[in-house]
Amino acid sequence: MTLMMVVVLAVLTGVTGSPNVKIRPGAESEDASVHPNSVPETVEQTESFGQQNVSSQEELEQHVMETGELNPSHYPAQRAAKVIQHYLNTRYGSPYKVFGLQTVHSGNAEDVADSGRKYQLEISVQELISNATEKCSAEVLFPRGEGQHSPQVQASCEGLLKINTKAQEEALFQKYKMNQSQLSAQYLPDSYGHIEHDMEPFWHLGQVAASFVMLKESTENSLYNMAQVANVTQLATENDRLKFDYHILLHDMVSQEIIHWKLLFTWSPPEGVKVLHMEQLPHCHGCDKPPNTN
Ligand SMILES: *[C@@H]1O[C@H](CO)[C@@H](O)[C@H](O)[C@H]1NC(C)=O
Ligand SMILES: *[C@@H]1O[C@H](CO)[C@@H](O)[C@H](O)[C@H]1NC(C)=O
Ligand SMILES: *[C@@H]1O[C@H](CO)[C@@H](O)[C@H](O)[C@H]1NC(C)=O
Ligand SMILES: *[C@@H]1O[C@H](CO)[C@@H](O)[C@H](O)[C@H]1NC(C)=O
C-alpha cells in the first residue's frame, strides 16, 4: 500500500513538470486524500510497467479512460493539452516563437464511434519568448485502430499567431545562410542550465523540432518533455533553406526514461520547419548526461 501511495505521489508531482520527484515523508495520507481520483492513474502506471497481460490491460484501459468532464489538473486532461502545444509548435514555431502549455482550464472527453476519442479543452498557451499568453479552445482526437497514428488537433489561438518575429527570423536566416557549415554546438542547455546568447535561437529551433516527434508519438497515455539538444550541426543550405542535423533528448514522463532522437530538418522564414527524417536511437546507458559534468 505504501508503494501504491508513492506511485500516486510520483504521478501527481510529475504533472507539474518537475523531473526531480521528491517524496516528502509523512505527506502521503494528506496528498492522497485531497486527490481521490488519482487511483486510476495508479492502475495505469502499474500497467505501463508491464505487470499486466494484454487482455487484462485492455480491460483496465476501459476503466481508466475518463469520459465526460475531466479534472483539469489530472493526467488525462494534461496529456491531451500537451499535444496542442506540440501541434502549435509544428505549425507556427520558429527560432523566435515557441509555444508552451500554461494552464488547462477545463476539459471533456468522449468516445467517437469507430474513430477514437475526442478531447475538448480550454487552455492557456504561452509563447515562451515574448511571454504572451492566450486562452484557446482546442480539440484533440486520438485515433483508434491499427498502427500508430498521430493525434489530430484543431486549435484557435489567433492572438499568439499574430506575434511578429519576421525581422529577427530574416536576420538569423541571412547570417547563417552566408556562414553555412559553421554552426556546430553541443548541450543546449549545458548541465548548469546555461545557453550562450547566440545559441538561444537554436535551442528554440530544437524545441520546435522536438514537437514534431512528440506530436507523432503522443497517445492518450504518454507525456513527453523536451530535455536537451545534445548537439546540432548545420549542413549546407539547400534551396534557400537552412538545413540542420539535431540530436535531441526527450524526457518520457511515464517511464522516466531519457529517449534519443536524431532529426534532419530544414528551416526558412517563409516555410518554417520541415522535417526530412526522424529516427529514434537505441537507448544508450551512460550517454544521457554530458560527459563533462565533473
Ligand atoms: C491474462 O489475464 C486474464 C485475466 O486476468 C487471464 O484469464 C489470462 O489467463 C491471462 N493470460 C495470460 C496469457 O497470462
Ligand atoms: C510571464 O507572464 C506571466 C503571466 O502571464 C507572469 O506571471 C510572469 O511573471 C511573466 N514572466 C516574465 C519573465 O515576464
Ligand atoms: C559569418 O561570417 C561573417 C563574415 O565572414 C562574420 O563576420 C560572422 O561573424 C560570421 N557569423 C558566424 C555565426 O559565424
Ligand atoms: C551528438 O550527441 C550524441 C549523443 O550524445 C552522440 O552519440 C553523437 O555522436 C553526437 N554527434 C555529434 C556530431 O557530435
Side-chain angles (χ1 to χ4, degrees):
M1 198 56 205
T2 310
L3 181 63
M4 292 275 275
M5 291 301 192
V6 169
V7 172
V8 170
L9 271 182
V11 166
L12 291 170
T13 318
V15 171
T16 66
S18 162
N20 300 315
V21 177
K22 295 264 187 334
I23 313 254
R24 287 170 294 127
E28 286 90 344
S29 51
E30 180 194 307
D31 278 8
S33 61
V34 255
H35 299 286
N37 294 344
S38 57
V39 172
E41 291 292 354
T42 314
V43 172
E44 199 171 4
Q45 193 76 359
T46 310
E47 169 199 313
S48 71
F49 290 135
Q51 290 170 5
Q52 306 284 337
N53 71 24
V54 174
S55 64
S56 58
Q57 211 179 78
E58 279 165 4
E59 274 167 32
L60 280 173
E61 278 173 6
Q62 297 301 315
H63 297 296
V64 165
M65 295 305 175
E66 283 180 39
T67 294
E69 201 175 329
L70 304 173
N71 182 327
S73 62
H74 284 186
Y75 258 140
Q78 292 281 331
R79 282 185 293 236
K82 200 78 174 166
V83 172
I84 302 163
Q85 162 188 331
H86 300 317
Y87 167 82
L88 292 172
N89 278 326
T90 61
R91 292 290 300 271
Y92 311 107
S94 89
Y96 295 97
K97 218 184 266 180
V98 184
F99 299 100
L101 173 65
Q102 194 193 52
T103 319
V104 180
H105 301 291
S106 65
N108 213 286
E110 61 180 356
D111 284 305
V112 181
D114 299 329
S115 58
R117 282 179 39 92
K118 188 164 80 179
Y119 287 72
Q120 280 170 319
L121 298 145
E122 291 291 326
I123 62 173
S124 282
V125 175
Q126 192 174 12
E127 195 288 301
L128 301 172
I129 301 166
S130 66
N131 199 29
T133 303
E134 197 191 320
K135 210 169 164 181
C136 315
S137 303
E139 239 179 58
V140 181
L141 177 76
F142 290 97
R144 202 191 338 254
E146 318 259 301
Q148 190 166 17
H149 301 287
S150 304
Q152 293 155 18
V153 180
Q154 288 181 326
S156 54
C157 306
E158 308 294 323
L160 288 179
L161 308 183
K162 286 188 195 129
I163 298 168
N164 190 338
T165 52
K166 272 196 185 119
Q168 291 145 292
E169 287 172 20
E170 194 57 35
L172 186 82
F173 180 72
Q174 291 304 331
K175 181 172 169 187
Y176 285 92
K177 186 179 147 187
M178 305 306 289
N179 299 50
Q180 50 184 258
S181 303
Q182 288 205 351
L183 171 75
S184 170
Q186 280 188 309
Y187 310 128
L188 309 177
D190 68 16
S191 42
Y192 304 101
H194 179 73
I195 302 175
E196 293 294 328
H197 181 68
D198 276 0
M199 291 300 112
E200 278 175 6
F202 299 100
W203 158 240
H204 299 145
L205 199 53
Q207 288 177 286
V208 170
S211 274
F212 280 84
V213 174
M214 294 188 276
L215 178 63
K216 176 173 148 313
E217 295 290 300
S218 287
T219 68
E220 280 182 283
N221 300 306
S222 68
L223 187 64
Y224 299 103
N225 275 330
M226 169 65 163
Q228 191 184 39
V229 172
N231 50 54
V232 42
T233 309
Q234 187 185 4
L235 307 174
T237 298
E238 274 176 18
N239 305 322
D240 230 24
R241 298 177 190 112
L242 302 188
K243 192 171 175 182
F244 299 98
D245 185 346
Y246 264 75
H247 190 115
I248 58 167
L249 309 185
L250 303 181
H251 187 187
D252 179 340
M253 305 299 287
V254 176
S255 69
Q256 285 298 319
E257 282 192 349
I258 298 289
I259 50 180
H260 294 236
W261 282 79
K262 190 179 153 63
L263 279 154
L264 192 65
F265 66 88
T266 61
W267 173 75
S268 69
E271 291 187 347
V273 172
K274 301 275 175 226
V275 175
L276 305 174
H277 178 73
M278 54 170 107
E279 180 187 352
Q280 184 173 2
L281 301 176
H283 186 75
C284 63
H285 292 281
C287 58
D288 290 351
K289 277 189 192 166
N292 57 349
T293 42
N294 46 359

